Amino acid sequence: MNHIRWVPDYPPAMITDDIAFVGGDPVSVHCLLAKDGLILLDTGYPDMLDGIAANLRTLGLSLQNVKYIVHSHGHIDHFGCTAAIVRLTGAKTFLGREDTAIASGEIDLSWAKELNLPHAETFVPDVAFADGDVLELGGRRIRCVHAPGHTAGTYALFIETSVNGEPMIAAMHGGVGTNSMTRDFLESYGLPLSCRDDFRASLRRLEKEPVDIVLGNHPQQNDTLGKLKRMCAEENPFVDRTQWQLFLADCERQLDEMLLHEAM
């Protein structure tokens, strides 16, 4: 897969009263408004910095006000701009403890080679969070649930938010792609096949969570663009209390299809 230099291609927008979408195709970046600044959920590919900054400006926000960066997992398309943003803002960084060695460059599992990208600029996370940790940042609460499979340190993030003042829970699964769970990939890096079992178990654990709004780690996961087009004063299409369980069931179906293909 060759990556073409990214320019803003999705309209930035407020999804909830205090969560904005500021990423694009092929990867999502979300911004949470906090009392003392902004929180970014992931930072996209290394070439997305200018586009993210432009999307923030469109919403009346500033990259300079980013205080925290919370990462879903340790792949280059989700932490590619982190080091640059930290230099510009001094933001504090957070990543699941199982993936910190990827971000720091100690192990080569960033997916840069598979995307035909140069290695991302590394960083050492300020905080390595673990299963069940609650990050309290600028008056915001983000609950972290370990959801391994895509990487060992993939996490689902549950975020307290509101829509028109009504309290809600938004959730993002940190990584559901089976591309990093194929037999060929795992064996090439000496990784255990058991990560597929871990992934299935985490999906079933997560399906018990009540979720009002699904945030896509990639925009295709929750039809981000389609929902942005349908946003109006009378309807917020992101509010759907059935989508989380349907999404997780589809992830398990994709896992089963991959395993069936390998067995043929």
Side-chain angles (χ1 to χ4, degrees), residues 10-255:
Y10 276 35
M14 298 301 302
I15 290 175
T16 73
D17 295 341
D18 49 20
I19 300 177
F21 178 84
V22 294
D25 188 10
V27 67
S28 300
V29 178
H30 294 88
C31 178
L32 281 58
L33 281 61
K35 289 181 180 178
D36 59 351
L38 304 176
I39 304 168
L40 289 185
L41 302 183
D42 289 340
T43 62
Y45 280 93
D47 65 1
M48 290 178 68
L49 179 62
D50 291 344
I52 292 169
N55 279 345
L56 287 168
R57 286 195 299 272
T58 297
L59 298 176
L61 305 171
S62 171
L63 184 71
Q64 295 295 331
N65 287 333
V66 172
K67 301 297 184 184
Y68 313 100
I69 305 171
V70 179
H71 298 88
S72 60
H73 67 285
H75 278 165
I76 190 172
D77 52 333
H78 297 275
F79 74 82
C81 292
T82 296
I85 293 174
V86 169
R87 276 198 302 275
L88 290 170
T89 68
K92 191 173 183 178
T93 57
F94 300 75
L95 177 65
R97 62 182 182 181
E98 298 84 357
D99 278 1
T100 56
I102 301 175
S104 66
E106 294 175 54
I107 59 175
D108 181 19
L109 286 172
S110 71
W111 206 255
K113 181 172 66 176
E114 286 73 19
L115 291 170
N116 293 324
L117 291 172
H119 288 284
E121 189 175 5
T122 60
F123 71 100
V124 177
D126 296 301
V127 175
F129 55 79
D131 187 37
D133 284 356
V134 177
L135 308 179
E136 299 194 21
L137 310 174
R140 305 300 302 269
R141 287 171 54 88
I142 303 173
R143 183 163 58 91
C144 308
V145 177
H146 193 207
H150 187 61
T151 69
T154 295
Y155 278 74
L157 305 175
F158 295 86
I159 305 154
E160 296 177 0
T161 185
S162 64
V163 173
N164 297 324
E166 180 183 352
M168 295 191 182
I169 296 295
M172 181 176 72
H173 193 300
V176 299
T178 59
N179 52 355
S180 61
M181 290 182 272
T182 65
R183 179 180 293 274
D184 287 347
F185 177 81
L186 295 172
E187 290 182 347
S188 70
Y189 283 98
L191 300 173
L193 296 177
S194 60
C195 75
R196 288 102 74 95
D197 298 325
D198 297 337
F199 181 59
R200 190 187 303 278
S202 69
L203 292 175
R204 295 183 179 179
R205 178 187 181 196
L206 291 169
E207 70 183 6
K208 300 177 176 64
E209 298 275 356
V211 172
D212 302 295
I213 296 166
V214 175
L215 303 177
N217 189 243
H218 291 265
Q220 297 79 13
Q221 293 175 359
N222 68 335
D223 187 25
T224 299
L225 183 58
K227 290 176 180 176
L228 290 176
K229 289 179 177 178
R230 298 197 301 276
M231 287 280 279
C232 61
E234 297 76 24
E235 179 192 13
N236 185 326
F238 287 93
V239 178
D240 182 347
R241 294 174 177 87
T242 68
Q243 188 184 8
W244 180 246
Q245 283 73 26
L246 293 173
F247 166 66
L248 296 176
D250 188 60
C251 293
E252 187 164 9
R253 177 192 59 78
Q254 292 181 46
L255 174 66

